[in-house]
Amino acid sequence: MLQRLYVHNFRCLENFELNLAGMPSALLIGKNGTGKSTIAAALQVLQSIARGTNRMRDLAAPEPLLSPKDFARGRADVPIRFEVEVLLDQALYKYVLALELPRGFHELRVLEEQLSVDDRPIFLRQQAQVTFYDIPQAKEVKFLVDWHLAALPIVQEQSVGALHLFKTWLSQMVILSPIPALMKGVSSGETLEPKRDGSNFAQWFLGVLSRYPASYTRIEKYLKDLMPDLLDFLNKPIGADAKNLQVRFAQNQALLQVEFDDLSDGEKCFFLAALVLAANYAYGPLFCFWDEPDSYLSLSEVGLFAMALRKAFEERGQILVTSHNPEIIRKFSDENTFILNRKTHLEPTQIRSLSELRPSGDLIQALTLGDLWE
Amino acid sequence: MIDRYRPHVLVLPEDDANRQMANGFVLHPGVNSRTIQILDTAGGWASVVEYVKKDGNINHLRKFEQCRVVLLLDYDNQFPGRFDSICEKIPGDLRDRVYVLGVLSEPEELKSDLKKPFEKIGNALASECCRDVQEVWQHPLLRHNHGELVRLIQDVKPFLFGNQ
């Protein structure tokens, strides 16, 4: 479970701290441009590194996650800093990554990097110099790493241990801002690493079902609650390596087979949610960040959808969502709702818990009038 | 969407505090969340009364016979007067499907007394409903609900606290 995220000098986030300790689910709200999606970007930088994209210039394109232009207000003389504290198997993991852009450089380089468990270092790094602490063998190993590379995905333990556990957790974070039009039913290959826009949904679907076949029941149960006429879904081979996801509906004696691509945007989001819940159950606990899960849903579904997500993550894992939708906002409470605020584009994002700002009247009205923080 | 033709519960919270308690109740793993829906806050106990008087709401309840309504309000230390006053306004043919529950004074006092956020209180109340016990429900600010609670549990237990 993510306990704390700290970000400094990255876009609009300066000395920014999000504390989620003890919260299986939480909500971020705030006006446009206050930094909700930037939090997702910060998490995605760490996720991408754990997934193996550790060269700094590779984080700048094709998806612009991190580049020299991301220093807050162009202030390149102050490092960009990311810190996460995560509770896994009752141990507190802390990963720190600080990046700098010395004069004359065009690519970010690592100034500092470290991973510790319960305050015991696994590795420490200053620029190119890495010190790895082999705890079972009680020895230190020193080596050099290219200063444009994050060391996290390179460092390897002799046996599967704390480092592997943390890397796996970080790489399996589910960060979503789905674009249903990009979610296609055709897949070639499988994965457990969904993309933020949901464009590799079918590969993820296949990856979960092939490695955890019992997930089918969980996915089916969730979907049948939402679409009672759902019969089943199947992955039809189309050629040597590709498959195409199809969904079958039945009522009375009638049967309808629909290509996944032809489902509505909202229905695709139901499938995505079903997969998130199944994945969390199968190989979690997962951390999920879902940017505006209400975007494609009908008003009658939004609240139930939010509650179903919250409820599933009560049991294990953790979900952080953003929203402007009153129906979603009402499904959270003062203690797990955070409000982001930014006075002007020249000032950094501030964050406060709703319990500190509780308006005397109606919350939604206060948000509508924009006077919650005033 | 909740299936209106199957047994279900609509919860009308008077205010934000009651809404948060209702959220905590629905979040309990023993509660079947596809059979319960929390409506927008009414905005005061007088508005809760208005809800049961409105033709549209009455017609909805008459049309959907599987619908139950729980009115969640603050008694502001006016129990049983306020309870009786609300019950009087519920049409007789619907009275057995409308339930009135509330904190004797206001939820903030319960929160401060139990030293728990509203969600956790709601969750604890749901847990007791699932386990057929009454501890938090016996709190001095809640125990006056006993009659309505027994009636409600008897009615909704088969589907609300049923399988997930």
Side-chain angles (χ1 to χ4, degrees):
Chain A
M1 190 179 270
L2 180 63
Q3 307 287 291
R4 173 180 169 267
L5 170 70
Y6 175 82
V7 184
H8 184 51
N9 211 33
F10 176 65
R11 302 185 193 174
C12 60
L13 303 181
E14 293 182 48
N15 198 24
F16 175 86
E17 189 170 75
L18 173 64
N19 287 300
L20 295 176
M23 291 181 204
S25 53
L27 170 71
L28 294 174
I29 57 177
K31 297 176 194 170
N32 301 112
T34 52
K36 298 185 292 296
S37 300
T38 306
I39 295 171
L43 291 166
Q44 207 180 344
V45 166
L46 301 172
Q47 178 204 53
S48 297
I49 289 170
R51 288 181 179 183
T53 306
N54 61 331
R55 175 90 198 193
M56 291 303 121
R57 67 169 175 236
D58 294 339
L59 290 165
E63 200 174 356
L65 290 178
L66 179 64
S67 74
K69 70 179 177 60
D70 286 320
F71 285 96
R73 299 183 61 197
R75 208 174 45 193
D77 56 336
V78 177
I80 291 175
R81 179 174 288 271
F82 302 101
E83 294 181 12
V84 277
E85 290 177 34
V86 182
L87 195 63
L88 298 172
D89 287 349
Q90 280 91 48
L92 186 66
Y93 289 70
K94 183 175 182 182
Y95 178 65
V96 175
L97 179 67
L99 305 161
E100 62 179 358
L101 188 71
R103 195 175 294 273
F105 276 51
H106 299 288
E107 183 180 0
L108 294 168
R109 76 173 186 187
V110 176
L111 168 69
E112 181 191 339
E113 188 177 7
Q114 59 170 285
L115 176 65
S116 60
V117 186
D118 290 334
D119 291 328
R120 283 181 293 109
I122 291 181
F123 75 86
L124 294 175
R125 171 185 185 178
Q126 289 293 326
Q127 294 183 334
Q129 179 71 60
V130 178
T131 308
F132 179 72
Y133 298 87
D134 190 334
I135 294 164
Q137 306 215 21
K139 64 178 183 185
E140 287 181 21
V141 181
K142 288 186 187 294
F143 56 96
L144 296 173
V145 170
D146 182 324
W147 57 23
H148 295 299
L149 294 177
L152 182 71
I154 304 169
V155 177
Q156 180 85 40
E157 292 160 307
Q158 296 251 331
S159 57
V160 172
L163 180 59
H164 175 79
L165 184 70
F166 177 74
K167 275 197 284 193
T168 304
W169 181 87
L170 200 56
S171 69
Q172 287 182 339
M173 274 200 299
V174 176
I175 299 170
L176 296 172
S177 184
I179 302 171
L182 299 180
M183 291 169 62
K184 302 290 183 190
V186 174
S187 60
S188 53
E190 52 188 64
T191 184
L192 292 183
E193 297 181 349
K195 291 183 182 171
R196 184 169 168 177
D197 58 10
S199 59
N200 67 344
F201 169 80
Q203 287 95 319
W204 188 29
F205 192 80
L206 206 57
V208 172
L209 285 181
S210 69
R211 285 183 226 189
Y212 307 97
S215 298
Y216 183 95
T217 314
R218 193 162 286 269
I219 294 169
E220 185 192 40
K221 162 93 177 66
Y222 177 81
L223 291 172
K224 277 190 170 171
D225 277 344
L226 293 162
M227 300 182 282
D229 57 346
L230 177 80
L231 176 66
D232 58 14
F233 36 89
L234 36 133
N235 249 319
K236 276 195 164 176
I238 48 165
D241 302 316
K243 289 182 176 172
N244 188 21
L245 183 60
Q246 301 191 324
V247 186
R248 296 198 301 176
F249 298 93
Q251 190 161 31
N252 302 326
Q253 300 301 313
L255 183 74
L256 176 68
Q257 187 157 319
V258 180
E259 303 267 328
F260 178 81
D261 296 10
D262 294 333
L263 291 177
S264 74
D265 289 351
E267 286 169 332
K268 287 181 180 176
C269 288
F270 291 159
F271 269 79
L272 191 57
L275 199 49
V276 167
L277 303 190
N280 183 42
Y281 188 82
Y283 59 89
L286 299 180
F287 174 85
C288 176
F289 182 104
W290 197 325
D291 201 6
E292 301 185 5
D294 47 88
S295 288
Y296 303 92
L297 303 181
S298 70
L299 205 52
S300 60
E301 286 298 346
V302 170
L304 292 168
F305 188 81
M307 220 40 161
L309 285 175
R310 284 200 67 192
K311 196 163 180 160
F313 281 89
E314 282 286 308
E315 294 173 30
R316 66 189 319 211
Q318 192 176 31
I319 186 163
L320 178 61
V321 304
T322 75
S323 186
H324 298 287
N325 188 309
E327 268 298 291
I328 295 262
I329 294 168
R330 288 191 189 102
K331 294 296 174 273
F332 285 81
S333 300
D334 293 357
E335 291 74 19
N336 47 43
T337 300
F338 294 93
I339 300 155
L340 301 181
N341 188 48
R342 200 174 162 205
K343 289 187 176 126
T344 70
H345 285 86
L346 301 178
E347 292 178 67
T349 295
Q350 296 170 283
I351 183 166
R352 289 170 78 178
S353 161
L354 182 57
S355 50
E356 296 171 48
L357 291 169
R358 173 115 289 280
S360 51
D362 181 60
L363 168 63
I364 302 302
Q365 186 174 319
L367 286 168
T368 307
L369 295 174
D371 60 1
L372 197 55
W373 199 291
E374 305 309 321
Chain B
M1 194 168 77
I2 279 192
D3 188 341
R4 300 280 176 234
Y5 297 95
R6 292 188 174 198
H8 65 277
V9 179
L10 299 181
V11 181
L12 178 67
E14 174 188 321
D15 56 18
D16 233 39
N18 282 292
R19 172 187 65 80
Q20 293 178 53
M21 284 203 286
N23 279 346
F25 190 95
V26 177
L27 280 173
H28 188 273
V31 174
N32 183 352
S33 48
R34 295 299 302 184
T35 62
I36 183 167
Q37 186 167 1
I38 304 166
L39 303 173
D40 292 354
T41 50
W45 85 273
S47 305
V48 175
V49 176
E50 284 306 306
Y51 180 89
V52 292
K53 285 166 64 183
K54 267 191 187 160
D55 285 347
N57 297 329
I58 291 169
N59 291 341
H60 179 93
L61 276 168
R62 287 192 174 129
K63 181 177 175 187
F64 298 104
E65 294 178 350
Q66 296 295 336
C67 179
R68 283 86 167 155
V69 174
V70 174
L71 307 175
L72 272 189
L73 47 82
D74 305 350
Y75 279 117
D76 297 324
N77 293 312
Q78 292 180 48
F79 183 88
R82 190 170 284 181
F83 174 77
D84 294 338
S85 161
I86 293 175
C87 290
E88 272 172 25
K89 297 183 174 68
I90 302 169
D93 61 317
L94 301 175
R95 179 65 188 97
D96 63 341
R97 287 193 281 134
V98 179
Y99 303 87
V100 187
L101 299 172
V103 177
L104 188 60
S105 51
E106 53 180 26
E108 287 73 11
E109 192 182 341
L110 183 66
K111 178 184 177 183
S112 134
D113 211 41
L114 293 175
K115 296 182 177 57
K116 280 183 180 174
F118 293 127
E119 258 191 24
K120 297 281 182 209
I121 296 172
N123 207 262
L125 294 173
S127 170
E128 292 186 6
C129 289
C130 294
R131 293 181 289 122
D132 276 330
V133 294
Q134 290 195 11
E135 288 160 12
V136 181
W137 279 110
Q138 282 302 313
H139 187 281
L141 293 172
L142 290 174
R143 64 184 171 213
H144 58 281
N145 292 300
H146 183 72
E148 284 291 90
L149 182 66
V150 169
R151 196 168 69 86
L152 174 66
I153 291 178
Q154 203 167 26
D155 184 17
V156 304
K157 188 142 194 162
F159 65 90
L160 188 62
F161 305 120
N163 70 48
Q164 294 300 291

